[in-house]
Amino acid sequence: MQVRRHLGFVVSLCLLVILLSFGSVPFGLSVESFEAGEALRSAETDFASAFTAVSQAEKTGANVTVLIDRLNVANNLLSEGYVSYWNGDYETANSLATTCKETLAGIADEANQLRISAERFLGSKALLTAVFSGIGLIILFVLGFLGWGLLKRSYYKRLLGLRPVVEESQ
Amino acid sequence: MNLGDLKFVYLLLCLTIGAIILLPNFFTVLSLSNEEPFSELYILGPSHALENIPSNVMAKSLNTIYLGVNNQMGEVASYLIYVKIRNQTEPLPDIIRNSPSSLTPILEYRMILSDNEGWEKEVSFSFDNVLLNGNETIVSGMSIDGHFVSIDKTSAWNAEEKKFFYQLFFELWIFESVSSDFRFHNRFVGLNLNLTREP
């Protein structure tokens, strides 16, 4: 009686294990597809942030060549990831999305730092230009007055130096 | 020249010099670029020219083209090219409505290009799994740029043009910072293909 009960327990345990393992196959696949999709979307979001930061840095005049190269590496990984996903290779897609995210890590921060440096440089350049222009205008103003004084004096000197010429009338 | 005229000329000269001194300040604020920004998308044949572009293709034969993009947007741009294939009844992108084709892409290329920078890639493709079924061909698989892709495209025999029509086309998308996403850039190029038994 006890042996039969033990046997029944073992059989039900085995059945449970078999059922679980069968059940886990489709469940595992659907999670993998979902995971790969999520990983690609997440990589896409990271790419968007990184590219926006690099683009803004470039607009301020920062040298972003190295960052663009890194973004292009991430871009290729993302493309390959999507192609794998469309072909049903979710594992590769997931792995490529993860590598893409790793490649993108830090790019936005570096771009923001470059943008801040470029903005500072631009600001100081604008200030320097304004200061030199101001100095230039002051010099022009002073020299203009002095020059006008000299010019006026020479004009009058030339005017007073003129002698009337008497012409004989016919 | 009287004193009044001399004063006028002198003032004009001083003002001109003043404007020249102030000019660099305007350039730090304004950027004088009146060029219309645009992007180029093109296809070239295997000889890197606008000739011998594949049109009559056989099953399992390898065809090569060059696909290129040029950035003339005046700033760095991120591009995405979707590769799609259609038969004679499926939709092309609508340039007037600025909408892409609703077909699912079979491949994509992404690239980031600085202003005035170009990108070019050799793209090889072949129709691998082709079935001739009466008056129609069914393509269930093709290789493109080293990737095998499963497709399901049927093309009916076009008696007028005497061909099984397929079109491999490339849509150009561009990243938009405002929406933080790619949008169709209203440009596409395509290859009109006739799937034949003989070259």
Side-chain angles (χ1 to χ4, degrees):
Chain A
M1 191 72 176
Q2 214 170 9
V3 174
R4 194 179 281 178
R5 198 183 291 163
H6 273 289
L7 198 69
F9 177 73
V10 169
V11 168
S12 17
L13 196 72
C14 285
L15 273 172
L16 187 72
V17 169
I18 290 164
L19 274 173
L20 275 177
S21 63
F22 268 110
S24 71
V25 172
F27 182 70
L29 266 182
S30 65
V31 167
E32 210 174 290
S33 150
F34 174 76
E35 269 176 9
E38 280 299 301
L40 285 167
R41 268 186 288 278
S42 173
E44 190 93 60
T45 310
D46 285 6
F47 169 79
S49 315
F51 177 73
T52 306
V54 169
S55 174
Q56 282 171 351
E58 194 251 357
K59 276 177 195 162
T60 55
N63 184 0
V64 289
T65 317
V66 178
L67 295 182
I68 287 176
D69 288 345
R70 278 169 66 190
L71 275 176
N72 271 325
V73 172
N75 246 346
N76 289 336
L77 291 165
L78 201 56
S79 288
E80 293 291 324
Y82 271 110
V83 173
S84 302
Y85 184 79
W86 294 329
N87 287 326
D89 188 355
Y90 303 123
E91 206 176 312
T92 310
N94 196 21
S95 155
L96 286 165
T98 310
T99 317
C100 174
K101 275 176 78 74
E102 284 166 8
T103 312
L104 289 167
I107 291 183
D109 290 339
E110 281 178 51
N112 284 333
Q113 279 170 3
L114 283 174
R115 179 178 53 80
I116 291 164
S117 309
E119 277 173 353
R120 273 190 200 141
F121 174 73
L122 270 184
S124 54
K125 192 180 160 190
L127 186 74
L128 213 66
T129 312
V131 166
F132 276 115
S133 295
I135 293 168
L137 283 179
I138 291 166
I139 292 169
L140 179 72
F141 191 73
V142 172
L143 286 180
F145 261 103
L146 289 174
W148 175 241
L150 286 172
L151 201 69
K152 211 160 65 173
R153 197 179 297 171
S154 86
Y155 177 82
Y156 282 127
K157 207 173 172 181
R158 201 154 52 89
L159 199 71
L160 290 171
L162 290 175
R163 300 206 182 275
V165 177
V166 182
E167 288 180 6
E168 276 180 33
S169 58
Q170 288 181 342
Chain B
M1 189 186 273
N2 64 23
L3 191 66
D5 289 344
L6 189 70
K7 196 175 183 178
F8 177 74
V9 171
Y10 188 75
L11 205 68
L12 204 70
L13 185 78
C14 287
L15 283 173
T16 311
I17 295 169
I20 291 166
I21 290 170
L22 282 174
L23 214 58
N25 289 281
F26 290 110
F27 282 119
T28 53
V29 183
L30 301 169
S31 62
L32 298 172
S33 173
N34 52 7
E35 283 177 16
E36 186 77 27
F38 66 97
S39 306
E40 284 175 344
L41 175 68
Y42 63 87
I43 287 178
L44 295 174
S47 54
H48 229 116
L50 272 170
E51 55 188 21
N52 301 327
I53 291 175
S55 57
N56 292 326
V57 293
M58 284 194 304
K60 291 182 181 172
S61 70
L62 198 66
N63 306 280
T64 304
I65 55 159
Y66 285 92
L67 176 68
V69 178
N70 272 322
N71 175 14
Q72 302 289 337
M73 296 295 284
E75 59 181 19
V76 65
S78 177
Y79 294 103
L80 168 62
I81 297 175
Y82 278 131
V83 185
K84 296 179 179 180
I85 185 158
R86 63 182 277 265
N87 61 23
Q88 67 271 46
T89 58
E90 288 174 315
L92 269 173
D94 189 339
I95 296 292
I96 296 159
R97 288 181 187 166
N98 197 4
S99 62
S101 166
S102 55
L103 295 171
T104 311
I106 55 170
L107 197 69
E108 64 165 54
Y109 298 107
R110 289 167 185 249
M111 71 288 310
I112 295 165
L113 302 175
S114 302
D115 187 32
N116 289 324
E117 197 186 356
W119 170 93
E120 198 175 84
K121 187 169 176 56
E122 186 183 328
V123 179
S124 298
F125 65 92
S126 63
F127 291 98
D128 293 342
N129 299 345
V130 181
L131 184 72
L132 180 64
N133 187 14
N135 271 347
E136 61 180 26
T137 50
I138 303 161
V139 179
S140 57
M142 69 179 290
S143 293
I144 179 157
D145 203 18
H147 297 275
F148 179 81
V149 278
S150 299
I151 53 172
D152 184 20
K153 298 281 168 194
T154 306
S155 179
W157 173 250
N158 185 331
E160 224 170 80
E161 293 180 31
K162 290 182 180 171
K163 64 181 180 183
F164 289 108
F165 178 85
Y166 288 95
Q167 190 177 33
L168 185 69
F169 63 101
F170 306 87
E171 283 177 357
L172 187 66
W173 293 54
I174 191 165
F175 186 83
E176 206 175 51
S177 297
V178 182
S179 59
S180 209
D181 205 357
F182 285 93
R183 68 167 170 83
F184 179 51
H185 200 26
N186 216 14
R187 282 157 183 79
F188 76 97
V189 284
L191 291 172
N192 291 343
L193 302 168
N194 173 25
L195 198 56
T196 59
R197 281 185 188 165
E198 292 160 17

